Structure formats: C-alpha cells, structure tokens
Amino acid sequence: MHAWPASEVPALPGSGRDLRIHDTATGGRVTLVPGPVARIYVCGITPYDATHMGHAATYNAFDLVQRVWLDTKRQVHYVQNVTDIDDPLLERAVANGDDWAELAERETALFREDMTALRMLPPRHYIGAVESIPKIVPLVERLREAGAAYELDGDIYFSVGSDTRFGEVSGLDAEAMRLLSAERGGDPDRPGKKNPLDPMLWMAARPGEPSWDGASLGPGRPGWHIECVAIALEHLGMGFDVQGGGSDLVFPHHEMGASHAQVLTGEHPYARTYVHAGMVALHGEKMSKSKGNLVFVSALRRDGVDPAAIRLALLAHHYRADWEWTDAVLHEAVERLGRWRAAVSRPDGPSADALVEEVREALADDLDSPRALAAIDRWAAAQAAGGGTDEGAPGLVSRVADALLGVAL
Ligand code: 5CA
Ligand code: ZN
C-alpha cells in the first residue's frame, strides 16, 4: 500500500535530546537510545469508518516520538499497518450493503488525507493485512510445527502457555486478561480451547466471507495479532525501539504480538519499549467506531477548521492522559493558533534561542507537549508585549513549531 506525502521537517540549530518515555512493560520511564536508525511500529486503523480525534491523538503521540528522533539527527524507520480485513470491517460492510474491500479502500484513502492535513510523518512501509497474507501463513505454520499452535474445528489458535514471558507487556492478572479478551476481539468462552485467552491465528473460511489460500492451514483469513507481527518482523525485525498504539491495545493486542514473535524467533524482546496513548472520549465515553460517539478529522476540515488548530488541540493534552473532546478544546486551539501566527508574522521579536531548548526538553521529558505549547505561548505573549528586536526569532519559532510539533504557522 502507498502511504501519504511527507511534509518537510526543518532543521533546528544545535541538537536534540534523547527521549525519556514511559514504557508499559516495565511500568516506568526509560531513556531510549536507538541506533542511527530508530525503528518504530504503530498499529494502524481498521478502515471501516473515518479518522476520529482519538485516532488522531494516538498518531500525534508517535509523530512526536519521530520528531524528537529526527532532531537528534537519526533516521527513522516507521512501519504502520492497515487492518483491512477483520470482523468489524466485514460487519460494517454487511450492515451498509457495501463491498468490504471498497469500504476499506475508501476509508484508508480518507485517513491518508487526514494524516497529510495534520502533517503526520508518513510510515516508510504502510502495509495492509490482506497483502501480508503470504507472510502470515508461514508464520502460523511455523508456530504449529513448534507446538505453539493448535487446531479447533479448522481454526488455528496460539497457545499462550508456549510463551514463558506471556503477561510481561501488560502485567495483568488472568481475570483482568479474560475480561479484556472478551471485550476486545477474543473468544475466551469458546469451548475446546487450551486456555481461554488463546487468540486465533488463522480463521477457517466461513460461508459468505472472503477467504485466502492458507497452504497447509486451509482457506481462511488471518487473526489480528499475527498480522502486526508478520508486518513488524518483515520490515523491522526483533528488538525494534517502540511498539506504539492506544492504551486499548495493551491487552490483548500487544501482549499477544510480543508472545507470537518471541515464540517464533526464540528472541526477546519483540519491542524494546511499549508506548501507549490515552483514550479520547466524547460525552464521557471513549470515542469508538462501535459506539458511534465520534468527531471526525475530515468533518472538522470540511467545516473549515484549520488542520493546524486540530493539531494544537491534540498537543494541548499529554499523550498518556485520557481526555474529553469538547468544543472548548477546539476553540482554545483556534485562539492559540491565531496568537502564534500573529506573533511570527512580525519582522522581529524576543530571542527564541532559549525557546528551542525549552521545547526540546519538554518533548524529551515523556513527550510533554502541553509544556512545549506553554513555552511558545510565553514567547508569543512577550512578542505581543513588544519586547525584542531579534530578526531571526519569528522564523526560528516557526521552524520549532513545524519541526518538533508538526504545526505549520
Ligand atoms: N487496526 C487495529 C490496530 S492493529 C486498531 O486498533 N484499529 S483502530 O482503528 O481501532 O484504532 C487505530 C488506533 O487508534 C489504535 O492505535 C487505537 O489504539 C487508537 N484509538 C482508537 N480509539 C481511540 C481513542 N478513543 N482515543 C485514542 N486512541 C484511540
Ligand atoms: Zn496492531
């Protein structure tokens, strides 16, 4: 699949700082020191509806991670998937009388437009589940040969008991895992499973549903977790720097992904850090396609909202916080954008040399974007108060906002 066009990232004077970030697996903060090529996998959308503010907030968090790395003069190798075949996509297609493949293609195209408008850096590899099937099948076969997978009425399950490290990503107990598994695509109550938590690797073809050649597995379609593992192992390999996604993916998705990969390769870790963004809510409930309480990026854009204001609305919240989307959040972002644009449109202003370091430090400190915004707010206020004759300052502030925050002034 093709990704979307990259917006240019201006270079800044001096050099950036290593990122100290909260790692779900250890429950603490780690200093990430990637090699010259930093490697990140971020779980992509299931394209049965448009990009909502929750998705955008999660992708914003991982865009910041990359901007911090680029500022340290590293290259970034970024991979993202598209879950273009899965139960919710098929269900929505049936409900709407739509063709599932057309629905997926249409929503993925809209997602690309939204990401471009928000100045999110594109992945180097943007890969669909369907196009990955030839990579997924051999992995499932290998797991079965290794005794880590078993068959149940034609479906193939992964045995969580085959991974001695199972549970290390989420740190949850069995009961909590069981509840989340039932909530998030698992089938803990299906009779005949070795462990209720065992996730499906390959689903045998169902009547009326699309299916693909699974070689020795028989015709069917891939499970969710093995999809991301196949794509990450193909394009990043083991031990990549960050596995990212929203906090709703901690369990089962990222736990199972780590287990699949660790059993497949005999190596540890799958990812060096597991980083999770908080959930965005609307009217007191997590924004979700299944509940339908959504604010779409594309709808705001159609209403004439500047994408830079949408981006500022996301940045005003710490990525790990759960927060609520309201009109006031957007209103405040629109006002801030106006103040910043007015401040950088003047021919000179207060020196911004210290500001570069303040924004760098805020982001290196577990992506503290609210603090980064506050630093630019202070510069804009000093500018409005008429202090300073540094001719390079307005341009430098524009470059900082663009390079580190993805905000075009
Ligand atoms: N295709 C899978 C991942 S492999 C999936 O979870 N798709 S999704 O469309 O449901 O979500 C895409 C990304 O947005 C995931 O990282 C998910 O954690 C995140 N996300 C979904 N809803 C929210 C929300 N309300 N707030 C923040 N992030 C969210
Ligand atoms: Zn995923």
Side-chain angles (χ1 to χ4, degrees):
M1 265 192 195
H2 65 284
W4 53 92
S7 51
E8 224 178 286
V9 181
L12 298 174
S15 79
R17 301 172 188 210
D18 283 327
L19 182 57
R20 285 126 34 217
I21 198 150
H22 183 88
D23 169 36
T24 303
T26 52
R29 195 174 277 208
V30 296
T31 303
L32 257 178
V33 188
V37 182
R39 295 175 293 160
I40 178 168
Y41 185 95
V42 181
C43 283
I45 54 162
T46 305
Y48 65 90
D49 215 335
T51 324
H52 61 60
M53 297 314 302
H55 301 134
T58 288
Y59 297 115
N60 177 58
F62 298 100
D63 191 70
L64 296 181
V65 169
Q66 296 176 64
R67 288 172 185 278
V68 170
W69 283 339
L70 291 173
D71 189 37
T72 62
K73 313 286 185 273
R74 287 183 172 89
Q75 283 184 49
V76 177
H77 200 146
Y78 173 26
V79 179
Q80 188 182 127
N81 68 305
V82 187
T83 308
D84 57 1
I85 185 70
D86 204 2
D87 296 342
L89 178 72
L90 291 176
E91 284 158 18
R92 176 63 63 92
V94 168
N96 291 3
D98 233 339
D99 176 79
W100 66 271
E102 277 170 28
L103 172 64
E105 207 167 297
R106 199 167 62 234
E107 296 303 349
T108 305
L110 186 57
F111 177 72
R112 288 189 191 97
E113 277 177 32
D114 289 336
M115 292 295 105
T116 308
L118 293 174
R119 293 175 89 75
M120 303 285 183
L121 297 168
R124 185 184 296 200
H125 297 285
Y126 191 47
I127 312 281
V130 171
E131 64 181 323
S132 304
I133 291 173
K135 304 285 177 202
I136 296 171
V137 168
L139 297 188
V140 178
E141 289 178 322
R142 265 169 55 197
L143 285 169
R144 195 163 60 168
E145 282 153 24
Y150 60 94
E151 189 177 326
L152 183 57
D153 299 332
D155 299 327
I156 315 284
Y157 280 89
F158 175 73
S159 181
V160 296
S162 65
D163 178 23
T164 52
R165 293 182 176 272
F166 178 72
E168 286 187 1
V169 173
S170 65
L172 295 170
D173 61 37
E175 187 46 31
M177 286 182 180
R178 198 187 161 104
L179 287 171
L180 288 175
S181 161
E183 222 175 85
R184 299 174 180 167
D187 54 2
D189 298 324
R190 179 168 176 179
K193 291 173 68 175
K194 286 189 184 167
N195 183 318
L197 300 173
D198 291 344
M200 214 183 269
L201 291 165
W202 186 256
M203 181 193 268
R206 304 288 198 264
E209 286 191 1
S211 63
W212 288 264
D213 178 15
S216 74
L217 310 173
R221 59 181 166 95
W224 174 29
H225 320 304
I226 194 69
E227 163 197 343
C228 283
V229 170
I231 297 169
L233 290 183
E234 172 79 8
H235 295 285
L236 295 174
M238 288 295 281
F240 57 90
D241 296 287
V242 170
Q243 160 71 78
S247 59
D248 57 341
L249 299 187
V250 175
F251 193 90
H253 190 49
H254 292 166
E255 187 75 66
M256 297 301 178
S259 266
H260 290 354
Q262 284 156 190
V263 171
L264 271 166
T265 63
E267 289 171 37
H268 174 266
Y270 175 52
R272 293 171 67 197
T273 51
Y274 295 84
V275 179
H276 293 101
M279 288 293 112
V280 180
L282 183 71
H283 307 138
E285 271 199 281
K286 174 193 160 186
M287 229 181 245
S288 80
K289 287 176 281 208
S290 48
K291 289 199 201 93
N293 57 335
L294 305 168
V295 173
F296 295 121
V297 173
S298 47
L300 292 178
R301 292 198 290 119
R302 253 196 324 271
D303 289 349
V305 177
D306 191 317
I310 303 176
R311 185 90 196 219
L312 279 176
L314 305 173
L315 290 161
H317 300 84
H318 191 269
Y319 82 97
R320 283 206 286 135
D322 295 328
W323 56 280
E324 171 104 12
W325 178 265
T326 62
D327 289 345
V329 167
L330 182 59
H331 180 73
E332 203 177 296
V334 169
E335 303 255 288
R336 173 175 270 135
L337 184 62
R339 285 198 309 273
W340 287 14
R341 283 201 172 138
V344 299
S345 69
R346 308 247 290 256
D348 56 12
S351 166
D353 296 347
L355 175 66
V356 179
E357 297 310 319
E358 280 177 80
V359 173
R360 273 186 171 136
E361 175 49 28
L363 292 182
D365 182 11
D366 201 24
L367 304 176
D368 192 346
S369 58
R371 202 166 106 209
L373 299 196
I376 300 183
D377 282 345
R378 281 194 301 277
W379 181 87
Q383 171 72 305
T389 54
D390 183 338
E391 287 179 4
L396 181 54
V397 173
S398 293
R399 287 201 299 283
V400 168
D402 192 1
L404 295 176
L405 302 171
V407 175
L409 293 179

